[in-house]
Amino acid sequence: LAVACFSFVQDINGFVRIFRNPVVRAFGLVAVYIVLHFLFTFDSADEVPSLIKVIYNFIILFFFYQYAYSKDINDKEIKWLYAIMGILYFVSILGFIDLRSTLRTAGLAGMADNRGYALVGCVPMLLLFYKERKFLIFLLIFSAGVIIAGKRGAIICLLMTLLIMFAFLFGGKRIKTSTKILYLFIIVAGAIFLFSYYGDFMSAAFTRFGNLAEDGGSGRDDVYMTYWKGFLNNDVLDTIFGCGFHGGIKNLNLTVMAHSDVFEILYDYGIIGALLYTNVFWQIGKYLYTRFQDRNVYYYILLCMTTVMVIKSIISGTFLMAVETIIIYITIAYIIGHNDRIIKFKKYEYGKIQG
């Protein structure tokens, strides 16, 4: 955080320029609204650290956009950053298996490991490896880790991401037909191998989908309904502006957040906050549609990560989640910053030709 802030202060003009991008500007408006809202509604200084964690996500997004736009970070560095993070998450998920088994036996914990969300956030950036042999190895390892972790929402994110990634790989002449066949063979062989060693955890993960009707998504349906009823019962001012940071926990006799940005933001930040947050997705969608002249690898990475962000926003939440959200925001920032730099370079070259 200190490095990012120092970088902005050192190049204040560059920091201001990043908000010319409509996606970055949309994120910035949300961040400003959160801070201003907090200044007028907070009850205790004890809430400040929690707010800093949320704002930290936005600062990291601004920082990586500026880094990518100025080419202070490149494809090789960013892809290995995500590869290393993914391996570390995979190892930590495997390392937690024995403890999870003990906790489940004692009835103290559910099947799922929340790090599955962090790991699935590392998957889209693997497309930068798609011309290399290690791509499929990383993809199999990360996919296995997400499934072993057992988070239903993370598995849904993974499946949608894999569909988009394979649409990229198999949709054109990016890889040879023989390579496509080899990929399919390795995927099947890898699945058999993984189920042989971690079959109990993988089958348990899919069993949790069958329990959705019984557990209501781990009780989330009740939480959603409580937040929604709370929003409907608000007065006009709170309906428009919201009840403030962690408003649901303070006012609705709950000990948990909404686990959905839809209900969390609507209750905490009102209709204005919900519109500002919806604008983020609208601007990303417009960017995908208008700013990529061809459907290249960067387009598909951004499409994958946007899909993950939409799904997680609806069924789990990204807004107040620190680690998982940082992984999502860095990817979005890097791809958009990188693409903006390419667009700027092409305009410069075109201007030289015209001149």
Side-chain angles (χ1 to χ4, degrees):
L1 180 62
V3 172
C5 292
F6 177 77
S7 175
F8 296 148
V9 172
Q10 190 179 33
D11 184 14
I12 191 67
N13 291 329
F15 175 66
V16 172
R17 282 196 300 270
I18 72 174
F19 294 101
R20 294 176 182 175
N21 178 281
V23 176
V24 177
R25 187 163 60 246
F27 276 107
L29 287 173
V30 173
V32 169
Y33 184 73
I34 292 171
V35 172
L36 291 177
H37 201 292
F38 182 81
L39 293 176
F40 284 99
T41 59
F42 80 100
D43 297 324
S44 169
D46 294 337
E47 298 175 352
V48 174
S50 297
L51 175 71
I52 291 175
K53 289 180 181 179
V54 175
I55 299 303
Y56 176 70
N57 294 330
F58 293 94
I59 292 175
I60 292 299
L61 182 142
F62 302 150
F63 177 74
F64 270 88
Y65 174 87
Q66 188 177 30
Y67 248 44
Y69 186 76
S70 59
K71 207 178 180 180
D72 289 323
I73 187 170
N74 57 41
D75 284 0
K76 183 178 181 179
E77 293 166 340
I78 197 74
K79 72 182 183 182
W80 276 108
L81 171 65
Y82 274 84
I84 292 170
M85 284 196 301
I87 292 297
L88 291 175
Y89 279 120
F90 176 75
V91 171
S92 67
I93 288 170
L94 294 184
F96 197 55
I97 284 179
D98 292 339
L99 177 59
R100 285 165 58 202
S101 299
T102 303
L103 292 173
R104 283 200 314 280
T105 302
L108 298 176
M111 175 64 198
D113 188 334
N114 283 322
R115 281 171 289 195
Y117 274 119
L119 183 54
V120 79
C122 297
V123 172
M125 200 65 86
L126 292 180
L127 273 179
L128 291 177
F129 286 104
Y130 84 91
K131 294 181 180 179
E132 305 174 45
R133 293 179 180 177
K134 58 180 73 72
F135 164 71
L136 195 57
I137 297 173
F138 283 139
L139 189 60
L140 286 171
I141 292 173
F142 289 16
S143 299
V146 173
I147 296 172
I148 293 170
K151 291 296 291 185
R152 289 171 290 201
I155 294 173
I156 293 172
C157 291
L158 174 67
L159 294 176
M160 293 303 298
T161 298
L162 292 178
L163 283 175
I164 295 170
M165 292 175 78
F166 284 117
F168 167 75
L169 293 171
F170 289 78
K173 297 181 179 179
R174 296 181 177 92
I175 56 177
K176 298 177 181 179
T177 302
S178 58
T179 305
K180 294 178 182 179
I181 296 172
L182 178 62
Y183 273 16
L184 291 174
F185 173 79
I186 293 175
I187 289 169
V188 172
I192 294 172
F193 173 81
L194 290 167
F195 268 101
S196 298
Y197 281 87
Y198 300 105
D200 292 342
F201 288 93
M202 290 186 168
S203 60
F206 289 109
T207 299
R208 295 188 77 236
F209 281 98
N211 296 334
L212 276 171
E214 299 177 10
D215 65 13
S218 301
R220 284 190 177 128
D221 53 345
D222 294 331
V223 176
Y224 294 164
M225 188 56 65
T226 301
Y227 269 85
W228 177 242
K229 288 181 178 178
F231 172 73
L232 294 178
N233 292 329
N234 279 338
D235 57 35
V236 175
L237 199 63
D238 286 341
T239 298
I240 297 173
F241 295 101
C243 298
F245 191 67
H246 285 167
I249 295 177
K250 296 176 186 175
N251 303 332
L252 300 177
N253 195 30
L254 292 170
T255 58
V256 296
M257 297 177 293
H259 288 284
S260 170
D261 289 344
V262 176
F263 298 101
E264 187 80 47
I265 292 177
L266 199 57
Y267 186 84
D268 290 359
Y269 295 101
I271 293 174
I272 293 178
L275 290 174
L276 289 173
Y277 194 62
T278 302
N279 183 53
V280 169
F281 294 97
W282 173 254
Q283 294 300 336
I284 294 175
K286 280 178 61 179
Y287 191 94
L288 279 164
Y289 185 73
T290 62
R291 295 295 186 93
F292 288 92
Q293 295 180 350
D294 58 343
R295 299 297 187 252
N296 57 23
V297 65
Y298 304 103
Y299 169 86
Y300 279 92
I301 292 173
L302 183 57
L303 181 60
C304 285
M305 191 53 84
T306 303
T307 302
V308 170
M309 186 176 173
V310 169
I311 294 172
K312 193 172 186 303
S313 293
I314 294 171
I315 65 177
S316 178
T318 64
F319 191 57
L320 299 175
M321 312 295 181
V323 176
E324 299 95 331
T325 304
I326 287 174
I327 291 173
I328 293 172
Y329 282 9
I330 289 176
T331 300
I332 292 173
Y334 177 80
I335 296 300
I336 291 176
H338 174 86
N339 192 60
D340 281 356
R341 179 171 52 80
I342 292 175
I343 292 172
K344 179 184 177 182
F345 176 77
K346 287 182 178 179
K347 287 181 178 178
Y348 173 75
E349 290 295 313
Y350 179 76
K352 282 173 48 177
I353 293 172
Q354 293 298 311

